Amino acid sequence: MQGIFFSLLAGVFICLQSVFNAQASEKLGLWLTNAIVHGLGFFVSFSIFLVVRDGDLQKINEVNKVYLLGGVFGALIVFFVMKGITSIGPAYSISILLVSQLLIALVIDSLGLFGVEKVPLNLSKVMGIAVMIVGLIIFKLK
C-alpha cells in the first residue's frame, strides 16, 4: 500500500513540476529553468540528507558508475518534458510520457535489465499497453 501511495504522489508532483517548469521556461528559457530546478533540487536533497544521514559517500566506489547517470537523465527529462508541454500541451504530453515510461519499464522488467528481478511478460500486460496506446489515439481525436 505504501508503494501505491508514493507512486501516486510521484505522479502528482511530476505533473505539477512539468507544468511549473514549462511556465517558468517561457520567461527564463529552457536550460536556465532546468539549471535552477536542479540547483534547487540539489539544495533541498542535500539539506534533507544532512538531517537524515541515510547514506555513506565512501561507498560510491561500490556503485556501478553507469547508475550515476541518473542525474544526467534528470536534466534531460526536465528539458524534454518542458519541450513536450510547450509544444503539445500538458495532458497530451504527460499521456505520451506515461505510455513511454510503462513500455520501457516493461522491457526492463521482462528482460531483468540493470539488476532488476526478471518479471515475465504476459498477454495481460501487452493488452494493457495496447489499451493505453489506443486511449492516446482516442484522446487526441478531434
Side-chain angles (χ1 to χ4, degrees):
M1 189 56 117
Q2 189 179 38
I4 293 171
F5 175 72
F6 284 125
S7 296
L8 286 170
L9 282 178
V12 168
F13 283 109
I14 287 170
C15 187
L16 291 173
Q17 177 202 37
S18 300
V19 172
F20 289 6
N21 291 349
Q23 294 290 30
S25 73
E26 289 182 9
K27 300 269 194 243
L28 299 173
L30 294 170
W31 285 108
L32 178 56
T33 300
N34 203 349
I36 291 169
V37 164
H38 282 88
L40 289 170
F42 171 78
F43 176 75
V44 169
S45 295
F46 194 69
S47 297
I48 293 170
F49 166 73
L50 291 176
V51 173
V52 175
R53 299 280 184 182
D54 68 342
D56 183 358
L57 190 58
Q58 293 179 2
K59 292 186 177 183
I60 197 160
N61 291 328
E62 298 173 22
V63 176
N64 182 335
K65 300 308 177 252
V66 170
Y67 298 151
L68 298 178
L69 288 174
V72 174
F73 293 161
L76 293 173
I77 289 164
V78 169
F79 174 78
F80 294 144
V81 171
M82 285 188 290
K83 287 295 284 182
I85 286 176
T86 57
S87 298
I88 61 175
Y92 193 46
S93 177
I94 297 296
S95 298
I96 293 169
L97 180 150
L98 292 172
V99 171
S100 68
Q101 275 185 295
L102 189 54
L103 279 168
I104 296 303
L106 280 174
V107 169
I108 291 169
D109 269 354
S110 62
L111 298 176
L113 300 175
F114 310 114
V116 172
E117 185 177 329
K118 194 172 184 177
V119 178
L121 185 63
N122 58 36
L123 183 60
S124 66
K125 291 177 184 174
V126 172
M127 287 175 52
I129 285 287
V131 167
M132 289 181 74
I133 292 169
V134 169
L136 263 176
I137 293 166
I138 292 170
F139 182 84
K140 195 56 184 167
L141 289 177
K142 297 202 184 229

